[in-house]
Each structure stands twice: as C-alpha cells, then as structure tokens.
Amino acid sequence: MSVSTPPDPHAVDAFEAEMLRHLPDVVRFARSLTKDPADADDVVQETYLRAFRARETFIPGSDGRRWLFTIARNHFLRRREREARMVTLDGEPELDAVATVQAQAAAKSVGVDPRLEHPDLAPAIAKAIAELPEPFRLVVALVDVAGLDYAEAAEQLGIPVGTVRSRLFRARRTLQERLLDHARDAGFRVAVPQEAP
Amino acid sequence: MTVHVHAECLAVVRAMYDYLDEELTAERLAEMQGHLAACAGCREHVEMARCFLARLSALPVDEQDCAALAERVRAALRREAGLPPA
C-alpha cells in the first residue's frame, strides 16, 4: 500500500528523526522474536514501513519505542499464524523449580560463575533464545526484551496471565541451564580469591 | 546430582521471577521478603536469577549491522513515500 498524498520529503525526514533512533532496540526485539537474523532484519524493515504508513496514529510524546515494538510483534505474529502448529506447553511448576535449583547447584559445584558475568556469553544467550520453541521465545521477547509486564504480554498473545508466567519460568529455566552448560564447557570459572598472607 | 530443598525454599524459587518482575501481591511479597531475610540459600538463588535477567535484557546488538539496516530502512521509506533515492 502506498501513501495517497503527494511525495513529502519532510514527512520522511520527520519520521526518521523520531523513529530511527529506536532501531537498535527494534533490532534486538526482532532478533528475539525470530530464529534467523535475516528474518529479523525483514521484520525491522517491515515494521518501519508499517509505522510510516500509520504515522498519523502515533501520539506525539508517547513511547515511540513501545509503539514500534507493537507493530513489529503484530507483523511477526500475523506472519506466523500461517504456520500455526501445535506445541505441548504445559509444564509442572514444581518440577521447573526443582530443575532450576539443580542447575544452579550443578554449576556451582564445578566452579562456574552462576551470575553469568562473563562478557563472551552474549552470543550464547542470543543462540539459546533463538533455539527456544516459538511460544516460549515470544514471552521472553515481550517481557525480557520489550519490557512488558505479564498482563500486557498476556493481552498481546491472547493467553492467560498464568500461562505467560509458566511459559516465562520454563523459558528462563531452559536459557539459564543452557548458559550454565555453555559456561562450564567454555571454562568460565569463578576466580578463587587468594587468602591474605 | 541430588539436591535437597526445603518445601518453603522451593516455593520461593518458584516465585522468584514473579518477585524480580514485581508481579507478586503485597501479601506474597512480604512473605518472600521475610523468607529471603532468613535464608541465605534462597537469597543466592534470587541473586543468580537477577544477574541472569540483567544479561537477558541487555543483549548487545552490532552497531555496524544497525547502521547498514538503518540505511536499508531509509531507502525503503523513500520508495514508500514515492521519493527518488537519496
């Protein structure tokens, strides 16, 4: 769809000045939504085109970053609706909690820094997010990357708040386990303080 | 690896993300704070989770990738607006 008004370079300039500064955040969000960086770039470009077409609906002074996230998410979800599939999601909260404790204890027992402070972990985090099944990746993208609260994420996804909560717990547990495994395999250990003489 | 966890501690671990995301009710928050004040093990779990979430929400993106993508978006916007390439 093209705009029906005559070409207006000032409209493009104004839109770019207002919205392109959020591009790194939109990229981060899109990459957490999709598995593939090239797909994420397509989502980013389409997000900006849709935002430009709908620019008159943006309320000046409101949160442009959040507005772009909403457009990106809607575009992504609509695209994915075509590939709808069944996924077994419901877990057992008690087992998730036990697994979390076990993963942290196991990492600690072999000396891995469970705070995951090593700077080289960023690529591993991105990879671990990309490998999450989509329903879990979506809640991580909405809550951890876009900063929505549980109720907002539930509304966006059309699922109950309790489902957001359980998916988020499962997703974070999975990510934490994978990162602790990665940290252990890569030898990211806690420095042992030397005793004072 | 077998780990022995007190049932109350397990409930705290189960609720720790609600706690960190500020999604607990006032009553549940008070219970959580009371337990954490008395339990070093749970404080450690919550601290680990806090560090993990901080890493998760601050993933870096490559500046060069962003610059290239910004150029691509600018070109697409000009096409969309019916303007010639810059």
Side-chain angles (χ1 to χ4, degrees):
Chain A
M1 184 181 79
S2 296
V3 289
S4 55
T5 51
D8 178 4
H10 299 299
V12 177
D13 290 345
F15 177 81
E16 287 182 4
E18 176 73 25
M19 295 298 167
L20 273 187
R21 63 198 165 102
H22 300 303
L23 187 128
D25 287 334
V26 179
V27 169
R28 191 178 289 112
F29 182 55
R31 287 190 179 171
S32 62
L33 286 174
T34 70
K35 286 183 176 181
D36 178 67
D39 281 349
D41 288 357
D42 290 343
V43 168
V44 172
Q45 177 171 326
E46 189 58 28
T47 296
Y48 273 92
L49 286 175
R50 286 166 186 253
F52 181 69
R53 289 169 200 148
R55 62 192 180 279
E56 289 178 8
T57 66
F58 178 69
I59 302 165
S62 62
D63 188 344
R65 179 175 163 272
R66 183 67 69 90
W67 185 61
L68 290 167
F69 283 163
T70 302
I71 295 169
R73 183 205 58 236
N74 287 343
H75 168 58
F76 174 77
L77 289 179
R78 253 182 248 120
R79 202 177 69 164
R80 302 302 281 178
E81 271 172 16
R82 299 178 211 125
E83 303 167 27
R85 57 200 160 95
M86 297 292 288
V87 180
T88 303
L89 295 170
D90 297 328
E92 182 58 57
E94 207 70 38
L95 294 179
D96 277 336
V98 171
T100 299
V101 173
Q102 285 179 327
Q104 290 184 347
K108 195 176 169 186
S109 72
V110 294
V112 168
D113 178 0
R115 291 164 300 172
L116 300 169
E117 287 181 335
H118 199 286
D120 292 344
L121 276 176
I125 294 174
K127 181 171 181 287
I129 292 174
E131 288 173 353
L132 285 173
E134 185 177 301
F136 296 95
R137 203 168 64 245
L138 282 174
V139 291
V140 168
L142 291 173
V143 176
D144 290 323
V145 180
L148 271 58
D149 64 28
Y150 293 4
E152 290 171 326
E155 186 184 340
Q156 298 295 344
L157 295 171
I159 57 178
V161 171
T163 306
V164 168
R165 177 177 282 109
S166 60
R167 286 186 192 178
L168 199 55
F169 197 103
R170 174 71 61 85
R172 287 167 170 176
R173 186 204 106 193
T174 303
L175 291 174
Q176 206 173 10
E177 284 175 5
R178 288 183 186 168
L179 293 176
L180 289 170
D181 284 348
H182 175 83
R184 185 192 57 214
D185 294 346
F188 297 161
R189 303 293 169 89
V190 181
V192 179
Q194 300 295 314
E195 280 188 28
Chain B
M1 178 175 189
T2 303
V3 180
H4 298 285
V5 189
H6 193 280
E8 197 179 329
C9 296
L10 201 56
V12 165
V13 171
R14 207 170 57 224
M16 70 182 175
Y17 287 126
D18 291 348
Y19 171 70
L20 293 171
D21 290 331
E22 301 180 357
E23 296 275 351
L24 288 178
T25 62
E27 183 185 2
R28 194 71 190 88
L29 177 62
E31 288 173 9
M32 186 90 167
Q33 288 170 332
H35 182 92
L36 290 177
C39 181
C42 282
R43 279 202 303 277
E44 190 177 19
H45 282 306
V46 169
E47 188 52 29
M48 288 176 194
R50 189 195 307 279
C51 294
F52 165 68
L53 290 188
R55 292 299 306 259
L56 204 56
S57 61
L59 279 178
V61 291
D62 187 286
E63 285 183 20
Q64 284 186 329
D65 284 355
C66 285
L69 187 54
E71 280 310 306
R72 182 175 143 187
V73 168
R74 282 194 184 92
L77 288 171
R78 291 186 70 82
R79 281 196 303 276
E80 176 73 17
L83 298 170

